[in-house]
Every structure is written in structure tokens, then in C-alpha cells.
Amino acid sequence: MRILAAAPLPFVPAEWPVTQPSPASYNFGPDFTFGFSTSAYQIEGAVREEGRSPGIWDVFCHTGHHIKNGNNADVACDHYHRMPEDVALVAGAGVKNYRFSVSWSRLYPELNGGPNAKGFAFYDRLLDELHRSDITPWLCLYHWDLPQYLQDQGGWTNRDTSYRLAEFSDRVSRYFGGRIPNWMVLNEAAVHSYIGHGLGFHAPGLTGKDNWVSSLHHLNLGQGLSIQALRGNLPHARIGTVASVEPVVPSTQNKDDVQAAAVLDAMWNGAVLDPLFMGKYPELVADDFAPYCKPGDLANCHQKIDLLGINYYNRLNIHHDPKYAMDVFFGPQGEPVKYKALDVPMSPDGMYETVMHVHNTYDGPEIFISENGFATVDDGKPGSGLEDDGRLAYLGANLQFLQKAKEAGANVSGYFVWSLIDNFEWDSGMKYRFGLVNVDFTTQQRTPKQSYYWYGSLVREQTDLQKA
Ligand code: IFM
């Protein structure tokens, strides 16, 4: 459910604020971290190996027709077997930070069961490899791949799953402890609850307001309980979470569309960040959460974090549509098109708006951009999309607006690209490619794109500036 750009290249960046995003035109200052982001299910494959049990996405991929072209992630990028090669790609770009997630059902394959030593050994090997390459690990504990055994108990619509996440966070942090300095609890509770539980386009394929609201509350609660567990176990780590934060624009000025955009904004942005930073739900939707919100829950959701990861892609255009939960759905572009990539409206200026909104609303928390990326459509040919000018212009423009936010006083400490390699893009399967490195899914050959070299030179120049 991302706004995607279609081939063909080359891209003519006429409307962009930067025509040639030269790496030299940035200065993010000392201590700024640049990284790559990935997630377990999208790259690992090996779904039936070494004791892993199915997660909700395995079931979703293999039942019904949920995924484009009938794709699945059984093999994905085969990262489980090719991990050293992928870490070498991070190192090869001169990038010193790597955000990844762990597969819950690989680590704990059974309901109420013990740890899977082979699963833990895989992540130990990954950490060894990162360490050897002088790359700092950033772990995300939960990136949408709930074990199916928990879905069978109701998944995120069941309050018990919040406590299960906290238990998982406790166990994983006890095991890896000081080997990982940066811990993020969730990835994009807004997307997981809305697209997976309200619209049914993502696993577990549930629909309707009740599933949307209850799953979001239980994700928030599980996050708060997990942060408390992590604090107890990791006194020296930096602890936070990752949210998808995007400005919401009504498709028209018609009052129903304006109301729909306000509701989606409250659910997508406010109902994720307000409980965490303020211990409350936005007024507009607070009554919707009341049936699920037990005494003490908001105090548990309201936790001090060391830093917030923001995933920013594009503004969301929303209109009134009674066919969907809470009468809201994605609609046509609701504002004049300022920036385009390959004829698709893009909103790099929304990066500035988003960061400043979080900065001003939540009292200036430390922020890093945990994801920002651009998809191209695979034309099926091995090695396609290597001349990815569109991606390069998109990343360049977003970085320019991020720098502007930093200069305006936002406490921005890092930027991570989504994603290192082309991977399994959820319901879009392998069709939409976000990687800075091309993956030929037949041979698993990795080929860096133009954007990989551009990002590498940007990171090297910034590192040199930091040392100067
Ligand atoms: O691929 C996803 C990722 O898993 C979560 N954030 C958005 C990316 C692109 O759609």
C-alpha cells in the first residue's frame, strides 16, 4: 500500500527541488547515523528450516489469492543462507548501521514452548558478521510476522498477545543483551493494524473497525509493556520504536472527505503516538478505543523512549468511502502536484512537515528516519532497474527536506534507507522493488544499482565531514 512509481527510466526530475542530488550538497553534522533497513520475513526465506514454524504471512501467502502474481516468501532473498554476502553489501557502501528484525516463530516455534537454539544461532551469526564488519546492529523485535499459533488464539485482537509480545521482548533481550545497542519494539503499528486488520490486504486478512481498533490498542499496550521489560534488562541500550508517520490530506474539500481525513489522521498518526508520548488517545477516536482500554492500560502505553524511528514515504490522500472500516479509504491526490517521479505524485516536502509535526507535538523527541524508500516495477528481466534515477532523485529530495527539518531545530539523529536489497513487498509480492541492490529471484544474484553507489558516496562524504 505504498505509492509506487512505474518504469521506464530515465527519470527527468523537472519539478524536484534538486536536479542533481549531489552527495556534497548535504551536511547532517557530527554523530548523524546512516543505515540500511530490512525485515526478517521480507528477506530470510528458509521458512520451514531448522525448526521455524509458520507465521501469519506464511498462511496468508498460501491461502487464497492475496499476493500479486501468486508470489510467496518461502525463499524470498534466501538471506538465511546468504547473510554474509548481504552484510558485505552494507559494508561495501561504507554504511555503518543495519536495522533488521527477528522472526518470532523461528525463535519460539511453539505455543508455550521453549527457545529454538538453531533460530537463535542464526541471529548470533548475523551479529558476529556485523561486528566483524564494524556495523552497528539496530534490532526491531516485531515487524508484522506473528506466529500462526498466536493468531489461532485471536492474534492482535486478543489482549493476551500484548503480554506475549512483552514476554518475547523480555526473553530476546535477556539472550542478546549488550550485543545490540539499539532496540526498537514495533514496526508501523498503524499499517499492521489498518491494512492487516481493518482492510484485510495484509496478513492476517481481517477487516472492520473492531479488528482495526482492538489490534491497534493491543499493539500499543504490548509495545509499552515491552519497553518496560527492555528497560529492566538493558540499562545501557537505547530503546525506542518505529512508527509510520505521514501527513493526511483530504481528497477534496467536501465535508465528508475532510472528516474522513481527520479520522484517518487520528488513527494512523495520533492513535500510535499519543498513547506513547502522552498516555491518551486522540479525542476524535477515544470512544472507539474505550471498550478495549482497561484501567492502567494508558499508563502502560505511556513510556519514555530514547528515540523514535519514523518511516516516511508520502502524504496519504484520503476520502470518505462507506465500503471500508470507519468510512475512510485511500483516494485521489487532494492537493496540487508539486513533485513527480515518473508521473507519480511524490511529496518529499512531507518529510519536513512530518518531522516538524512530531518535534512540535511531542516535545522534541530524538528522531531518526528508520525507513524512506522508492519502489520501481520489475520488468521481469534479470538485472533490471539498475539505472534507478527516479529512486536517486526521491532519496535526494527527501534528504534535502530532512536536513531542512534538522536546521529548523528538530532533533534528528539518523536516516535509514528502505531497503538494502529488493525483497518480498507483502501483498505486492516481488513486483515492486525497493532495494538499492537488485536481486534476481531466479539465481539470487545481487547487483548494486546506481542508487547504492550514490548512497555510498553520500555516506562516505558525510563521514569525512564528521571527522574533519
Ligand atoms: O516493505 C515495507 C516495510 O516492511 C514497512 N514499511 C514500508 C515498506 C515499503 O512498503
Side-chain angles (χ1 to χ4, degrees), residues 2 42 143-144 187-188 311 313 371 418 425-426 434:
R2 296 289 175 196
Q42 293 178 269
H143 194 124
W144 306 351
N187 180 73
E188 297 182 353
N311 293 356
Y313 286 83
E371 288 182 24
W418 184 269
E425 178 52 25
W426 308 112
F434 276 91

Side-chain angles (χ1 to χ4, degrees), residues 1-4 38-39 42 99 143-144 187-188 191 202 242 244 246 311 313 371 373-375 418-419 423-426 428 434:
M1 288 304 297
R2 296 289 175 196
I3 300 167
L4 301 163
T38 63
S39 90
Q42 293 178 269
R99 170 180 167 241
H143 194 124
W144 306 351
N187 180 73
E188 297 182 353
V191 180
H202 280 185
V242 168
S244 173
E246 268 122 356
N311 293 356
Y313 286 83
E371 288 182 24
F374 181 91
W418 184 269
S419 183
N423 57 51
F424 175 75
E425 178 52 25
W426 308 112
S428 304
F434 276 91

Side-chain angles (χ1 to χ4, degrees), residues 299-319:
N300 276 321
C301 294
H302 185 192
Q303 295 298 319
K304 188 186 161 311
I305 55 171
D306 301 312
L307 73 178
L308 174 74
I310 293 180
N311 293 356
Y312 175 77
Y313 286 83
N314 261 316
R315 287 202 178 86
L316 304 178
N317 296 284
I318 294 297
H319 71 171

Side-chain angles (χ1 to χ4, degrees), residues 4 28 40 45 52 56 83 178 277 341 356 391 395:
L4 301 163
F28 284 94
R52 181 187 181 279
I56 54 176
M83 175 271 290
F277 287 111
M356 294 315 291
R391 175 172 294 106
L395 299 177

Side-chain angles (χ1 to χ4, degrees), residues 99 138-142 169 181-187 222-224 226-228 230-231 234 237-243 276-277 303-310 366 368 370:
R99 170 180 167 241
W138 295 62
L139 175 66
C140 185
L141 281 157
Y142 181 73
S169 304
N182 304 290
W183 291 72
M184 302 293 121
V185 177
L186 296 183
N187 180 73
Q223 171 177 279
S226 292
I227 292 169
Q228 294 172 49
L230 296 177
R231 284 261 175 253
L234 305 167
R238 295 209 301 163
I239 296 165
T241 198
V242 168
L276 175 65
F277 287 111
Q303 295 298 319
K304 188 186 161 311
I305 55 171
D306 301 312
L307 73 178
L308 174 74
I310 293 180
E366 181 176 336
F368 74 108
S370 31

Side-chain angles (χ1 to χ4, degrees), residues 39-52:
S39 90
Y41 193 68
Q42 293 178 269
I43 61 171
E44 282 180 5
V47 295
R48 292 179 202 88
E49 287 180 45
E50 300 199 319
R52 181 187 181 279

Side-chain angles (χ1 to χ4, degrees), residues 260-282:
V263 169
L264 200 276
D265 178 43
M267 290 295 292
W268 186 278
N269 296 314
V272 170
L273 297 180
D274 290 7
L276 175 65
F277 287 111
M278 298 167 159
K280 66 178 185 64
Y281 278 107

